[in-house]
Amino acid sequence: MLSAAVANEPVRRRRQVRGGEPMAYVDLGERLAAELPTHSAFGSELQNERSLLPRILYATPEMADFVKTGGLGEVAGALPRALRRHYDVRVLIPGYASVLAGLQGLTIVARLGAFAGVPACDLGYGTTPDGLGVYVLIAPDLYVRDGTPYGDARGDFGDNDLRFARLGRAAAELAAGLDPFWSADLLHLNDWQTALAPAYMAWLGIRRPSVLTIHNLAYQGLFPREHLGRIGAPDYAFQMDGVEFYGQLSFLKAGLYHASHVTTVSDTYAREITTPEGGCGLDGLLRTRAAQGRLTGILNGIDESWDPRTDPHLATPFEADDWKGKRANADEVRKQFGMAVSRGPLFAIVSRLVHQKGIDLSIAAAESIVAEGGQLVVIGQGEGRFEEALRDLAGRHPDHVGVHVGFRETEARRIFAGSDFLLMPSRFEPCGLAQMYAQRFGSLPIVRRTGGLNDTVEDGVTGFTFADASPRGLTSAITRAFATFGQKKRLNAMRRTAMSREFGWDQAALNYCGLYARAFGNNAARRWKAA
């Protein structure tokens, strides 16, 4: 953990030189945005044509450059970069120790005052090595802690309402001109941790469009009603058309109610969350948003590093039809996990070990995989009961089952490259990235037809799908996979097709461009043209 003193050591304060110098202005309709003096030390930024582009603030609680717990971190590392071709994009993230240590040229640009029970903090600005601008909330007491961004071994942090109210309020203030040299024209928010931003804008009278992306509706940021005052929310907000959710305060519902537009990370999931079965108690509000044309599914992408021809993590690079190269990775995985040499199929699980992911279904199917001459390799961590069950399974079948509780990037990538089939029988899956990684590396996913899995895996063409979240449903798909493994011509044809699928970020970025244009309104859409 980075101490408060160390965390603040590389931070310097920006000299705000404004008085008496000629200012440059950009017409943004609602406001005239005062910029830096054109001949100041910062003037070169203005002279860049990007200063004329619409400004998008991408607020996120995690980012793969610094810290990630799942798909949101991957998306936050990739999407802002894809959008930079079209907009002036900056990221806002809490000042975890890894963020403060990882940013270049970190400078304090503003002070955010305390409000209600939320403490004051500094707003820093720095860049990633490739030049992406990142705002960071410098508040060591809130963010420099052991554990994940959300909790430690004892559970969620008890002040998460304050920690992420601070994040949401900072996003709103950046839309209102907190940084005198850059203010957001649109907020792109992610999950409950940033979802208060549209509500704060409404409560404070700040008029800016906002897009809220749901990465997983099951996590809603629920807190006792008594916490309303300490996050600075007005009493009138605690109602059904507001932040109230079955007697509790819901950060996510506040965002769903106040955001200009709501997105989620696949078309199928966007439909599923409007149903009682998939809506987690928010289906009524989401059906209303859908009827208003304010709910959209945009499929996530994966970055260009997922290329078996160039990935430095692999034991042997390979491409389609180079199945010897793929087998070399499989042999390395077997060796690493202490499994027997085999020419049977290698099944894989690369996942959080939680109920949502159907881990219990995969464990139930493991015995039949072994009995039919297959092997299973697992990497991930999660619920203790599943970790223990997998360790027990490996203990009973040491030559055929390998398990690592934890996560290592190199290990995971080699498993994707070496495995023949990926097990992903999720009960629900907003988008999923593992099935895309697997296909790029010629591993055929075996998935339940839900969410993004339904949108990215074509049954019998790039993988195998099934409907029922049951051991029987999964086993039936595994049986088909074994049959295909015995038909090398068909197996290799499926591998080639899977590896040829395009899952890059370009199309997703263009879809967001269209959505932003709608959120800005027709006048802004005419004034700005995405590059």
Side-chain angles (χ1 to χ4, degrees):
M1 184 176 74
L2 189 66
S3 71
V6 174
N8 281 300
E9 185 175 338
V11 181
R12 63 182 185 275
R13 294 192 174 272
R14 182 168 72 189
R15 188 167 60 96
Q16 299 183 5
V17 181
R18 300 173 66 83
E21 297 199 65
M23 309 298 291
Y25 292 88
V26 178
D27 180 12
L28 297 178
E30 282 187 327
R31 62 178 173 83
L32 290 177
E35 297 294 336
L36 286 164
T38 56
H39 57 276
S40 75
F42 296 92
S44 59
E45 180 178 346
L46 249 189
Q47 295 166 15
N48 190 305
E49 63 180 6
R50 297 192 63 79
S51 65
L52 300 176
L53 295 176
R55 297 167 177 172
I56 310 297
L57 181 70
Y58 191 91
T60 177
E62 58 184 82
M63 184 180 180
D65 299 57
F66 313 110
V67 60
K68 66 176 181 178
T69 64
L72 170 55
E74 297 284 2
V75 173
L79 181 56
R81 290 179 164 95
L83 289 168
R84 278 201 296 175
R85 301 177 187 178
H86 312 281
Y87 299 102
D88 182 359
V89 180
R90 296 186 181 184
V91 174
L92 171 67
I93 191 170
Y96 313 121
S98 56
V99 177
L100 299 177
L103 285 174
Q104 298 180 349
L106 185 56
T107 304
I108 294 176
V109 299
R111 179 71 174 171
L112 293 90
F115 66 97
V118 181
C121 74
D122 286 324
L123 178 71
Y125 177 77
T127 62
T128 61
D130 63 341
L132 179 64
V134 178
Y135 286 108
V136 57
L137 298 180
I138 301 174
D141 289 345
L142 290 180
Y143 303 123
V144 180
R145 301 178 180 180
D146 290 325
T148 75
Y150 317 119
D152 56 21
R154 294 168 293 183
D156 290 346
F157 294 128
D159 60 348
N160 273 347
D161 58 331
L162 300 180
R163 298 171 75 236
F164 294 110
R166 177 75 280 172
L167 180 61
R169 176 73 173 249
E173 292 185 46
L174 275 164
L178 172 67
D179 180 352
F181 305 130
W182 191 96
S183 59
D185 302 313
L186 179 144
L187 302 184
H188 188 150
L189 310 159
N190 293 274
D191 276 351
W192 72 264
Q193 294 91 343
T194 64
L196 277 186
Y200 280 128
M201 287 198 294
W203 300 333
L204 297 171
I206 302 167
R207 298 189 62 185
R208 287 288 181 275
S210 58
V211 172
L212 171 62
T213 297
I214 305 167
H215 297 266
N216 192 331
L217 189 66
Y219 300 98
Q220 299 181 10
L222 300 178
F223 299 95
R225 185 253 184 273
E226 293 74 25
H227 287 212
L228 191 71
R230 78 180 203 154
I231 65 167
D235 288 340
Y236 67 77
F238 196 78
Q239 57 177 306
M240 186 173 67
D241 291 337
V243 304
E244 187 272 337
F245 183 76
Y246 294 96
Q248 293 182 287
L249 161 64
S250 169
F251 279 39
L252 184 61
K253 187 181 178 186
L256 297 179
Y257 183 77
H258 288 286
S260 307
H261 201 97
V262 177
T263 73
T264 191
V265 289
S266 69
D267 284 334
T268 297
Y269 192 61
R271 294 191 297 271
E272 289 174 343
I273 61 177
T274 64
T275 67
E277 296 77 16
C280 300
L282 291 167
D283 51 288
L285 176 56
L286 289 163
R287 280 195 298 275
T288 299
R289 291 289 168 267
Q292 295 168 336
R294 294 169 56 192
L295 173 62
T296 303
I298 298 178
L299 188 69
N300 285 336
I302 59 176
D303 67 53
E304 295 177 356
S305 72
W306 294 92
D307 187 334
R309 298 169 299 180
T310 58
D311 192 328
H313 296 276
L314 303 191
T316 302
F318 68 100
E319 58 187 349
D321 288 319
D322 177 15
W323 309 128
K324 288 184 179 179
K326 185 170 176 62
R327 282 197 298 273
N329 284 282
D331 291 342
E332 181 64 27
V333 169
R334 290 183 172 100
K335 179 180 177 181
Q336 186 172 350
F337 281 81
M339 298 160 66
V341 174
S342 172
R343 285 294 177 257
L346 180 61
F347 292 77
I349 298 172
V350 183
S351 173
R352 288 185 295 116
L353 306 179
V354 296
H355 181 74
Q356 173 205 333
K357 300 292 186 179
I359 298 300
D360 54 317
L361 305 181
S362 295
I363 292 171
E367 296 288 353
S368 62
I369 289 174
V370 172
E372 291 295 322
Q375 294 174 308
L376 174 65
V377 60
V378 183
I379 181 172
Q381 60 189 29
E383 297 177 34
R385 56 178 175 145
F386 294 139
E387 294 177 355
E388 186 60 32
L390 286 165
R391 288 191 182 102
D392 179 68
L393 184 67
R396 288 186 283 111
H397 302 287
D399 288 340
H400 302 285
V401 179
V403 174
H404 171 69
V405 174
F407 184 82
R408 290 191 290 262
E409 184 80 11
T410 295
E411 199 170 61
R413 286 178 179 253
R414 288 184 179 180
I415 290 172
F416 284 123
S419 60
D420 298 295
F421 305 104
L422 176 78
L423 299 182
M424 205 169 174
S426 302
R427 288 180 165 84
F428 66 94
E429 193 66 60
C431 177
L433 298 176
Q435 81 280 7
M436 299 188 218
Y437 300 152
Q439 288 176 79
R440 290 291 293 120
F441 283 7
S443 179
L444 304 179
I446 300 173
V447 304
R448 183 168 172 264
R449 290 195 289 272
T450 184
L453 303 180
N454 185 63
D455 294 347
T456 54
V457 179
E458 188 174 355
D459 187 46
V461 179
T462 64
F464 303 91
T465 70
F466 63 97
D468 296 331
S470 66
R472 173 182 286 186
L474 175 57
T475 300
S476 68
I478 290 173
T479 299
R480 294 166 57 208
F482 266 106
T484 298
F485 187 81
Q487 303 169 36
K488 294 303 181 186
K489 186 175 181 179
R490 181 171 181 237
L491 174 69
N492 292 337
M494 290 181 68
R495 284 172 169 171
R496 280 192 295 272
T497 303
M499 294 176 74
S500 70
R501 289 292 162 93
E502 293 292 337
F503 294 119
W505 277 104
D506 287 349
Q507 185 57 54
L510 288 175
N511 290 338
Y512 280 110
C513 286
L515 195 64
Y516 294 164
R518 287 175 54 193
F520 281 128
N522 290 332
N523 290 335
R526 284 194 295 269
R527 187 163 59 249
W528 291 317
K529 183 178 180 181

